[in-house]
Amino acid sequence: MRTFLTALVLGMLFVQPACVEPDTRGTELGKGWEFRQASKGPWRKAVVPGCVHTDLLANRVIGDPFFGTNEARLQWIESEDWEYRARLAAGPEIMAKERVELLFEGLDTYADVYLNDSLVVRADNMFRTWSVDCKGILRGGTNELRVRFRSPVKEVAERRRALGDELPGGPQVLARKAAYQYGWDFAPRFVTSGIWRPVRILAWNEARIADLWIVQRSVTDDRADLTARFEIDATAPRRAALEIREGGSPLARVETDLVAGKNDVSLDFSVLKPRLWWTNGLGESHLYSIRGVLASEGAVIDQRERRIGIRTLELVREPDARGTSFFFKLNGVPVFMKGANYVPQDCFPSRVTRERYESLLGKAADAGMNMLRVWGGGIYENDLFYDLCDEKGILVWQDFMFACAMYPGDDAFLESVKGEAIDNVRRLRNHPCIALWCGNNEIDEGWHHWGWQRQYGYSSADSTKIWGDYRKIFLELLPGVVERYDGTRPYWPSSPSHGRAEPASLTEGDSHYWGVWHDGEPFAAFNEKIPRFMSEFGVESFPSLPAIMHFSRPGDWRLDSEVMVAHQKAARGDEILRSYMARDYRVPEDFRSFVYVSQLVQADAVKTAIEAERRAKPYCMGSLFWQLDDCWPGPSWSCIDYYGNPKAAYYRARDAMSNILVSPVLNGDSLLVYIVSDSSETVHGFLKLQLLDFSGKISWADLQQVEIPPSSSDLYFKLDTRIFLANVDSTKVVLSAEVLTRDKPLSRNLCYFVAPKDLDLPKPNFAPSFVPAEAGRPGGVLSIRLSSKVFVKDVYLSMPGIEGYFDDNFFDMLPGTVVSVQFIPSERTDISGARVAVTSFADVR
Ligand code: BMA
């Protein structure tokens, strides 16, 4: 039986885990690897984990895949076979062990693994973990480990010929490999191969903990009752003791007789007065480190640590007057989910560093997000991603890796999918962040609404067969695996549950609302099209100029240049973006200004939607925009670009996701002011409204005391704008709405009465200054102070040539205010000589 081992290894030397307390997770084999085009050419140095594209780049065989139009020139790589090899020295300490196993945590994708010329693994699924007993094959001294990758495109071309009919999604649906690698509307095509996750070697005697799963049975204020489910491998029958410890103290112990082979042993334990795990914004995301210890004859043989969160989480779907609810209840409290859709952070995910994970998820948490959806066209993320989500209180809506396509239902394919699902459910089920397992992205919608049957000329028998295969995977196999290997979380077959053409998409389940963008509906449609849980919506923008500079030269800075066209992956992307821009802005001729305004357009869309969805609480209980991040630099729906620069949409989404939100909105001739609270406490404060012109003259004001109930959305103020705007020029005024307590502002929002292009803005005259004490402090944060006598819209700060980001940007400044902004340089960035550049909307008109 294949086990999910977390260890295996190789290197020039086998190192016995040198620990006081033994732990049989193995040693990573990350050194001394080489690669070559199969049977051809010289062997070159390789990085493992890694992939062919990044190895070719590091060896200067190819140029930067993201630069210019290089993508087109690098397509040959996918049609070649590739080989990797490493020497593995097995010393006496390894050879003496009763069991030696090799573990491959990820092979992308069609890989034959040879150890000393014996074929030990035939891999065909990027998402699986492969382990092999190599005791009989490993020789004392030097061994050779060789991994031969067959071209993934050639492999499926042959299989497709055998299968007959084409399926929506193209031949790659036959490959269990990340879909976005084949090109997506935000991604280039780089169909890579490689050892993309660690290889380990694991050598042990007697017995080991193959897996430890901590299952929560019940929780009250006084105690949490849990069960530790050990899976033990033993080489021979033996008496053993299993113990559960927390912070050094034993919580439970059992003695048992192990049989040779697999043993399942359960051990109940309790945590008294448990500190609960809460999501970001609601409380501490407390984690307990629970240690499982295996001992025999008085000695510890193995141990495994799990970080768990004690919490209850339910998906509540109950019929109500308008449909069926769809919300998550955490520790008994309904929680509005705020966040975004997550896509792999790189076309070559093996090169994403710990710093990049920390930085991205740190920004998600800073923005107030409490849920991310790991989208089905990418990858099951690595453990670090989920560890960080656990720490930051970010729940994960976890798709299985199927997107926008139909898949075959033959036995071999189903077997592969089953293995993949079991591997990943087992790997991730201890994480408190995992909220829900979802079968796929947009396949139910695609089958019922995208005209595939006609497009592919399917007969009704074909359709019955293809939908039957869908049912096998998404309505039988995956929910079966979730029930059997988790059983504590809901399974949701497809996101969205109804296509947007169906009225039910607004009354039950989750919804992707693409009427805005794909159908060209105005942003105001977000105020009307309110579902129970919005799991996708969005608008594109260009990344900022510093990101564009990484992949182009100034001569390319035109929408129609070959390089910009090559980087725009969405059909009609620029055209749709320009058409939205023209509705509210003048479309700038100058590229720099176009880039900047594109971000303002995206920010307007995201702000409008998040606020509308939050105002509709509790009818609507989730708002996840498309998309958080990017896998390469190019125009896309992301709010943080490939290099980690937040776009305008990031800052506006952050404001819109604030726990207390004041949200003024125009509805015909009415100005409506809502306050939304995601706080668990009643907040006493003030609602301050002011109508002011751009030099600061207040023509109308209102101040009222407010008591904001926990978890609420209410209308606090209503006014007829015809009276209110009667004596002012609406092109020269703005409404400032603010909720504040006696000592601090909680939320501020501005409302305009004409489109941005019709605002009669004064030219600002402000000189930014570094705060003297901070200026130039090496490695430190820079404080920048800005002041302006007149109103300034969409202030954009940049720090040419310096990597880092501002804690606020693309903001508006009320007349006479002073704003202090921090610049957080990337690690290792020298900020001496930093110069800040400032522009605002008035500069681009
Ligand atoms: C969503 C996603 C992706 C796509 C995005 C933008 O529906 O599921 O398929 O990238 O739309 O079109």
Side-chain angles (χ1 to χ4, degrees):
M1 176 182 165
R2 181 167 288 122
T3 58
F4 178 75
L5 307 180
T6 28
L8 178 94
V9 189
L10 153 59
M12 297 304 289
L13 269 183
F14 273 139
V15 189
Q16 257 297 75
C19 31
V20 187
E21 299 170 288
D23 177 335
T24 52
R25 274 169 303 174
T27 307
E28 188 168 341
L29 301 180
K31 299 233 172 77
W33 285 91
E34 296 180 307
F35 84 115
R36 67 170 180 173
Q37 198 166 327
S39 316
K40 263 195 236 173
W43 286 97
R44 301 172 199 270
K45 275 194 161 178
V47 172
V48 169
C51 70
V52 169
H53 286 78
T54 47
D55 285 332
L56 290 168
L57 176 64
N59 283 277
R60 298 172 194 270
V61 180
I62 61 170
D64 177 359
F66 296 170
F67 192 82
T69 54
N70 283 353
E71 178 196 357
R73 277 190 280 281
L74 300 180
Q75 293 305 308
W76 61 273
I77 298 169
E78 66 178 38
S79 304
E80 298 298 328
D81 295 351
W82 299 91
E83 281 175 282
Y84 281 74
R85 71 173 182 195
R87 267 175 303 154
L88 194 156
E93 66 291 347
I94 292 279
M95 297 308 292
K97 297 283 190 214
E98 294 172 79
R99 291 275 194 281
V100 185
E101 292 171 42
L102 275 171
L103 175 78
F104 295 83
E105 292 186 1
L107 294 168
D108 180 10
T109 288
Y110 295 102
D112 290 344
V113 181
Y114 297 86
L115 178 61
N116 298 333
D117 296 327
S118 299
L119 178 63
V120 291
V121 176
R122 294 212 72 175
D124 59 1
N125 184 330
M126 173 185 183
F127 306 121
R128 296 219 52 188
T129 300
W130 311 91
S131 78
V132 56
D133 173 0
C134 60
K135 175 73 184 163
I137 304 170
L138 196 72
R139 295 191 292 251
T142 304
N143 294 264
E144 191 188 55
L145 189 58
R146 206 149 44 84
V147 186
R148 194 174 202 281
F149 290 95
R150 297 190 300 286
S151 154
V153 290
K154 287 196 179 149
E155 183 84 13
V156 294
E158 278 156 30
R159 288 196 52 215
R160 206 190 78 66
R161 266 191 292 280
L163 230 83
D165 280 342
E166 192 170 342
L167 290 168
Q172 60 262 31
V173 299
L174 304 180
R176 291 309 298 144
K177 183 164 169 56
Y180 80 111
Q181 288 186 356
Y182 295 83
W184 211 265
D185 59 5
F186 61 89
R189 179 180 176 109
F190 290 116
V191 186
T192 196
S193 289
I195 305 171
W196 75 296
R197 281 187 169 155
V199 184
R200 294 178 199 278
I201 191 159
L202 179 65
W204 51 282
N205 281 336
E206 301 169 354
R208 66 181 288 268
I209 301 174
D211 192 37
L212 173 60
W213 178 27
I214 309 294
V215 188
Q216 185 185 290
R217 301 197 315 279
S218 65
V219 189
T220 62
D221 286 350
D222 289 335
R223 61 189 283 161
D225 290 327
L226 305 120
T227 300
R229 295 177 63 172
F230 288 89
E231 192 179 295
I232 308 289
D233 284 346
T235 58
R238 72 172 46 248
R239 184 95 185 139
L242 288 165
E243 201 169 270
I244 281 294
R245 295 184 190 160
E246 197 266 315
S249 331
L251 296 180
R253 186 169 195 276
V254 66
E255 295 219 355
T256 182
D257 290 315
L258 299 176
V259 298
K262 289 260 166 277
N263 296 264
D264 291 318
V265 186
S266 290
L267 181 53
D268 290 347
F269 67 102
S270 302
V271 173
L272 300 181
K273 297 271 176 218
R275 285 163 75 181
L276 299 182
W277 185 90
W278 289 97
T279 44
N280 187 25
L282 277 188
E284 186 199 5
S285 310
H286 185 78
L287 296 172
Y288 287 90
S289 290
I290 302 290
R291 176 168 293 214
V293 180
L294 166 65
S296 185
E297 293 168 8
V300 172
I301 309 180
D302 195 10
Q303 50 190 325
R304 197 65 87 247
E305 186 140 304
R306 295 287 185 238
R307 280 196 324 172
I308 60 150
I310 296 179
R311 93 285 189 275
T312 58
L313 187 67
E314 270 173 86
L315 172 61
V316 182
R317 294 177 54 231
E318 279 166 2
D320 58 23
R322 291 163 68 191
T324 304
S325 69
F326 191 103
F327 66 90
F328 290 91
K329 205 188 241 188
L330 175 66
N331 301 325
V333 177
V335 182
F336 190 102
M337 293 300 155
K338 297 176 284 195
N341 285 267
Y342 172 88
V343 301
Q345 291 171 66
D346 206 301
C347 293
F348 315 116
S350 48
R351 71 172 171 184
V352 184
T353 57
R354 169 175 276 274
E355 287 73 32
R356 281 169 69 186
Y357 277 101
E358 284 174 348
S359 162
L360 183 70
L361 292 169
K363 285 183 185 119
D366 288 349
M369 296 187 186
N370 58 10
M371 180 176 266
L372 291 174
R373 170 168 173 248
V374 175
W375 167 73
I379 57 174
Y380 304 93
E381 262 300 338
N382 62 17
D383 296 343
L384 174 61
F385 174 89
Y386 302 97
D387 285 343
L388 291 168
C389 289
D390 289 345
E391 286 167 20
K392 294 175 188 305
I394 297 176
L395 286 167
V396 172
W397 171 305
Q398 179 67 48
D399 282 3
F400 285 95
M401 293 302 124
F402 300 87
C404 305
M406 300 306 289
Y407 294 85
D410 59 278
D411 290 348
F413 190 83
L414 295 182
E415 208 35 51
S416 183
V417 168
K418 186 171 177 190
E420 156 193 338
I422 293 172
D423 283 353
N424 286 288
V425 170
R426 282 168 57 97
R427 179 168 67 94
L428 302 179
R429 61 191 175 181
N430 277 302
H431 289 278
C433 67
I434 301 280
L436 163 148
W437 301 101
C438 173
N440 68 67
N441 174 73
E442 294 185 345
I443 300 187
D444 189 307
E445 166 167 13
W447 182 252
H448 292 107
H449 296 285
W450 294 356
W452 283 336
Q453 293 81 348
R454 197 172 319 145
Q455 186 188 336
Y456 290 88
Y458 295 141
S459 65
S460 89
D462 294 336
S463 292
T464 306
K465 160 89 175 71
I466 295 169
W467 186 247
D469 288 345
Y470 175 95
R471 295 184 57 89
K472 279 193 221 164
I473 300 174
F474 301 107
L475 302 181
E476 291 163 30
L477 191 160
L478 292 177
V481 169
V482 166
E483 179 55 34
R484 162 125 193 250
Y485 294 90
D486 183 346
T488 69
R489 297 176 174 91
Y491 172 82
W492 190 243
S494 188
S495 177
S497 42
H498 296 286
R500 66 178 178 277
E502 293 174 45
S505 68
L506 298 180
T507 59
E508 60 178 50
D510 72 318
S511 196
H512 294 186
Y513 196 74
W514 287 102
V516 174
W517 186 260
H518 290 303
D519 301 345
E521 289 174 19
F523 295 167
F526 284 131
N527 293 328
E528 312 299 327
K529 304 289 185 174
I530 305 274
R532 308 309 296 251
F533 190 102
M534 185 76 110
S535 41
E536 275 189 24
F537 62 94
V539 160
E540 267 202 1
S541 70
F542 273 65
S544 306
L545 217 61
I548 292 175
M549 284 158 81
H550 278 280
F551 69 81
S552 64
R553 302 201 170 86
D556 304 317
W557 295 354
R558 302 185 323 269
L559 287 190
D560 60 355
S561 73
E562 220 188 336
V563 171
M564 288 309 149
V565 170
H567 280 248
Q568 172 55 276
K569 297 300 181 188
R572 298 174 45 239
D574 290 351
E575 181 192 323
I576 299 175
L577 180 52
R578 281 183 75 103
S579 86
Y580 276 110
M581 196 182 280
R583 298 180 197 195
D584 294 329
Y585 295 83
R586 289 192 194 108
V587 181
E589 301 274 307
D590 155 56
F591 184 75
R592 268 172 207 266
S593 303
F594 182 88
V595 165
Y596 163 75
V597 177
S598 78
Q599 293 199 14
L600 303 184
V601 172
Q602 182 196 23
D604 290 346
V606 166
K607 170 182 156 51
T608 304
I610 298 173
E611 290 191 18
E613 287 145 21
R614 291 191 63 194
R615 286 193 305 266
K617 175 184 182 171
Y619 180 81
C620 176
M621 283 298 281
S623 175
L624 309 180
F625 64 83
W626 181 265
Q627 61 200 74
L628 178 70
D629 57 319
D630 269 331
C631 65
W632 88 319
S636 84
W637 296 263
S638 76
C639 76
I640 298 174
D641 73 30
Y642 173 74
Y643 300 101
N645 305 304
K647 297 176 174 179
Y650 171 81
Y651 299 101
R652 295 297 69 81
R654 180 186 65 183
D655 295 346
M657 292 191 287
S658 144
N659 252 10
I660 300 287
L661 168 76
V662 58
S663 179
V665 60
L666 295 171
N667 184 0
D669 288 325
S670 298
L671 167 73
L672 309 174
V673 181
Y674 288 81
I675 300 176
V676 183
S677 169
D678 284 340
S679 169
S680 43
E681 276 151 28
T682 301
V683 173
H684 296 273
F686 301 91
L687 171 63
K688 182 176 163 189
L689 302 171
Q690 291 185 325
L691 184 69
L692 23 87
D693 72 12
F694 297 149
S695 64
K697 202 171 123 227
I698 296 169
S699 53
W700 175 90
D702 186 83
L703 182 70
Q704 51 171 292
Q705 261 187 325
V706 288
E707 183 181 298
I708 309 162
S711 189
S712 60
S713 168
D714 285 306
L715 178 64
Y716 285 75
F717 192 86
K718 187 172 176 182
L719 194 72
D720 188 329
T721 51
R722 283 168 303 186
I723 303 164
F724 171 67
L725 294 173
N727 300 317
V728 294
D729 177 347
S730 58
T731 67
K732 291 187 173 138
V733 289
V734 59
L735 175 95
S736 160
E738 200 173 359
V739 174
L740 57 168
T741 57
R742 281 193 197 285
D743 47 7
K744 60 171 191 232
L746 296 178
S747 172
R748 193 184 79 191
N749 213 331
L750 300 181
C751 175
Y752 302 92
F753 302 93
V754 296
K757 66 180 170 187
D758 298 321
L759 288 172
D760 189 2
L761 291 168
K763 273 269 182 200
N765 176 17
F766 56 134
S769 62
F770 289 116
V771 177
E774 297 277 350
R777 186 153 59 81
V781 162
L782 278 179
S783 280
I784 295 133
R785 197 158 45 201
L786 291 172
S787 63
S788 174
K789 291 208 165 61
V790 297
F791 179 76
V792 201
K793 184 160 163 42
D794 301 314
V795 176
Y796 170 50
L797 301 167
S798 58
M799 200 71 97
I802 299 191
E803 304 266 332
Y805 73 101
F806 292 88
D807 69 348
D808 200 6
N809 212 341
F810 298 94
F811 50 83
D812 299 339
M813 287 175 67
L814 291 181
T817 49
V818 179
V819 173
S820 182
V821 180
Q822 314 268 304
F823 179 75
I824 299 107
S826 306
E827 267 177 62
R828 294 180 289 277
T829 301
D830 178 11
I831 51 169
S832 50
R835 190 177 59 80
V836 65
V838 191
T839 47
S840 76
F841 185 56
D843 296 325
V844 298
R845 315 183 69 225

